[in-house]
Amino acid sequence: MRKLGHERIDILKMDIERHELAVIRNLKRRSAPSQVVFETHLHNAYGLWNRPMTHKEWDNMWKKLAKLGYRIFSFETTPTGLCCSEWSIKM
């Protein structure tokens, strides 16, 4: 954003194998995108984390998103079930 001189982006699409938790944790209201589309992995995310997502991580992610004013407008599970889900949220 800084390199291109953007103060804000409209939509952020993430499929980054649980690294979205760090991105969400660092979102700031003044620069948060209007919409975010992302995938969650409750399991071990292809062996990258050596553990499933914790309840605390899950709760903190949704609390942060709610605090920023995001609401879910679309949700879909993958064929493997709830362990992998696609979320679309907007302010």
Side-chain angles (χ1 to χ4, degrees):
M1 288 173 54
R2 190 176 302 120
K3 182 179 178 180
L4 297 174
H6 297 294
E7 293 180 18
R8 187 176 181 132
I9 58 173
D10 294 320
I11 187 165
L12 174 63
K13 167 73 168 97
M14 297 185 286
D15 185 358
I16 51 178
E17 316 315 333
R18 208 188 298 167
H19 292 285
E20 64 277 353
L21 294 176
V23 172
I24 291 167
R25 191 171 41 251
N26 288 293
L27 286 176
K28 307 290 185 241
R29 185 175 293 275
R30 71 182 185 285
S31 61
S34 303
Q35 295 183 23
V36 182
V37 180
F38 63 102
E39 182 179 57
T40 55
H41 293 278
L42 300 180
H43 57 72
N44 191 17
Y46 309 107
L48 298 172
W49 296 90
N50 298 317
R51 63 175 176 76
M53 184 183 290
T54 67
H55 289 288
K56 184 175 182 177
E57 288 171 319
W58 182 258
D59 289 344
N60 287 343
M61 176 185 74
W62 289 109
K63 284 177 185 176
K64 172 69 182 243
L65 292 169
K67 183 177 177 181
L68 290 169
Y70 286 106
R71 299 291 176 258
I72 299 166
F73 71 88
S74 181
F75 163 80
E76 144 183 3
T77 61
T78 61
T80 57
L82 286 174
C83 71
C84 303
S85 301
E86 299 280 344
W87 303 88
S88 298
I89 61 176
K90 65 181 177 177
M91 288 186 171

